[in-house]
Amino acid sequence: MTDDSHRLPLDSPRWSRLWTRMGPGAYPVPQALRDLGDDPSDLELFREMWPEICAEETTYDAAFAAVPYLMDFAGRLDPADADEYLIVAGLIATYASDVPSDLEPAFRTAMRRGLTLALERLKTCKTNADLRYLLASVAAMRGRTDLAEVLQDLDAIQEPCPTCGTVVYPSALQAAIERDRSS
């Protein structure tokens, strides 16, 4: 379990002022988190809930309050079953902007825990797709959101070579490679 002292309680009125994809009033999120707390392996419920807090390259502030709970659930599951939670946490980190100051301590603690869980999961990851998305999560949780975006969108980053027409993965990938070389 993570440190509960800074996380937003599920019954806090603050949830009504947090934003989701549908706008202000994140009250459905704490209920989904309560239900997932009872059964974190209910991936159908998780798949219904998470696009409300992170969608279309946008992380909504309700995600910052939800992540501490999501990382607890990931920690309670068998490693292979935790992948989706870790991948979503990586998406949240990738597209995060300003974290509200009251949510930041618990969010940062949860992201550190997510990084530990994702790194552990890499040891036994079975599919190439899961490997790629878990690597993207690791990159995002370490602050390399540019690399995370490239890994998440790898199959969509393509352009034809102006000389021969061969499809290549250009600019975004090249920018991440150049950043790696300069560090």
Side-chain angles (χ1 to χ4, degrees):
M1 291 292 261
T2 60
D3 177 12
D4 291 345
S5 64
H6 295 292
R7 78 170 62 195
L8 185 64
L10 295 175
D11 60 355
S12 172
R14 174 85 163 93
W15 287 97
S16 68
R17 296 185 311 275
L18 296 177
W19 283 68
T20 67
R21 176 175 61 169
M22 302 307 288
Y27 56 87
V29 175
Q31 184 56 53
L33 294 171
R34 280 186 199 93
D35 294 342
L36 286 167
D38 293 337
D39 181 11
S41 66
D42 185 350
L43 294 179
E44 185 176 323
L45 174 58
F46 178 64
R47 290 177 190 135
E48 289 174 17
M49 185 272 297
W50 78 259
E52 296 305 317
I53 60 175
C54 182
E56 300 163 357
E57 299 181 357
T58 303
T59 295
Y60 299 96
D61 60 0
F64 304 126
V67 164
Y69 294 95
L70 299 180
M71 293 305 88
D72 278 353
F73 305 155
R76 290 173 38 201
L77 292 169
D78 289 332
D81 295 332
D83 286 357
E84 287 190 50
Y85 285 95
L86 298 170
I87 290 167
V88 167
L91 290 169
I92 290 168
T94 299
Y95 301 112
S97 56
D98 295 329
V99 181
S101 61
D102 64 320
L103 303 177
E104 188 168 13
F107 175 73
R108 297 289 175 218
T109 298
M111 280 295 163
R112 285 191 298 275
R113 180 155 191 239
L115 178 60
T116 299
L117 292 169
L119 287 169
E120 185 64 30
R121 179 66 188 117
L122 288 174
K123 294 177 186 176
T124 57
C125 187
K126 299 280 189 236
T127 71
N128 288 334
D130 285 346
L131 175 63
R132 177 168 49 119
Y133 290 114
L134 285 170
L135 286 169
S137 292
V138 167
M141 291 173 187
R142 292 203 51 198
R144 285 296 308 274
T145 57
D146 61 333
L147 182 57
E149 284 187 70
V150 168
L151 289 167
Q152 290 160 357
D153 297 335
L154 193 57
D155 45 357
I157 301 171
Q158 51 187 309
E159 295 175 8
C161 171
T163 304
C164 67
T166 302
V167 175
V168 294
Y169 301 94
S171 54
L173 184 56
Q174 188 60 41
I177 291 168
E178 287 174 15
R179 181 168 175 204
D180 285 344
R181 287 182 182 153
S182 69
S183 60

